[in-house]
Amino acid sequence: MAQGSTDETEFSAEERAAMKERAKELRSAKKGKKSGLEDLLEKIAEMPEADRVLAERIHELVTEAAPHLETKTWYGFPAYALEGKVICFFQPAAKFKSPYATFGFNEAKNLDNGEVWITAFGLSKLTPAAEKQIVELVKKAAGI
């Protein structure tokens, strides 16, 4: 069951909103309305300050570490893709009323470490050590 759901058959209001965002992204992409970067920066600008500060720094780190990644939104989250597949994303804490933001990975075959490995990290602040770890993971996930 996803965070915020009341039971196994219901989606929370936040989950429904995320699904609507994804449908909107798909329609917008078909119509060619905005670039992925425009969408991503717009979503970051809409975030509450604490999330926005983290998202802006994550954006800087990811685009510096792997400039070849495509910028886009994914379920309303800032995301970065390789060959059309989202490989990493930032989920603001406010989106699901979580105490912390999340930086996660999809298509993490370059990050796997045996049978069990971490695919998402909770973020409360970005220290130099945390930034270094994020850059290393992004590079690895992006095949650098």
Side-chain angles (χ1 to χ4, degrees):
M1 180 172 21
Q3 184 179 11
S5 293
T6 55
D7 68 33
E8 292 179 12
T9 60
E10 288 184 31
F11 290 107
S12 69
E14 295 83 6
E15 290 166 329
R16 286 191 304 276
M19 288 184 283
K20 287 179 182 177
E21 284 286 340
R22 184 66 183 134
K24 180 178 161 186
E25 292 161 2
L26 293 171
R27 286 190 305 272
S28 181
K30 284 183 181 178
K31 294 178 182 178
K33 287 187 173 181
K34 292 183 187 175
S35 74
L37 179 58
E38 287 175 306
D39 282 342
L40 179 143
L41 294 174
E42 185 177 290
K43 288 298 177 189
I44 290 174
E46 293 172 358
M47 292 178 188
E49 184 178 2
D51 286 329
R52 188 176 61 253
V53 168
L54 287 173
E56 287 170 345
R57 185 64 183 139
I58 289 289
H59 179 66
E60 291 172 5
L61 293 171
V62 173
T63 56
E64 288 172 13
H68 66 290
L69 295 180
E70 304 157 42
T71 53
K72 60 190 302 174
T73 56
W74 183 66
Y75 292 94
F77 307 140
Y80 306 86
L82 182 62
E83 298 173 359
K85 294 183 178 182
V86 171
I87 64 165
C88 57
F89 61 92
F90 176 82
Q91 178 180 304
K95 185 76 170 189
F96 294 107
K97 299 179 180 114
S98 175
Y100 50 84
T102 304
F103 186 67
F105 293 89
N106 286 338
E107 306 292 333
K109 64 183 177 205
N110 294 337
L111 296 177
D112 68 12
N113 187 18
E115 296 173 357
V116 177
W117 61 91
I118 296 172
T119 60
F121 298 85
L123 300 174
S124 57
K125 68 179 182 173
L126 289 170
T127 63
E131 289 182 358
K132 181 180 178 199
Q133 183 179 10
I134 287 168
V135 167
E136 289 171 359
L137 289 169
V138 167
K139 285 181 175 183
K140 192 171 182 182
I144 299 174

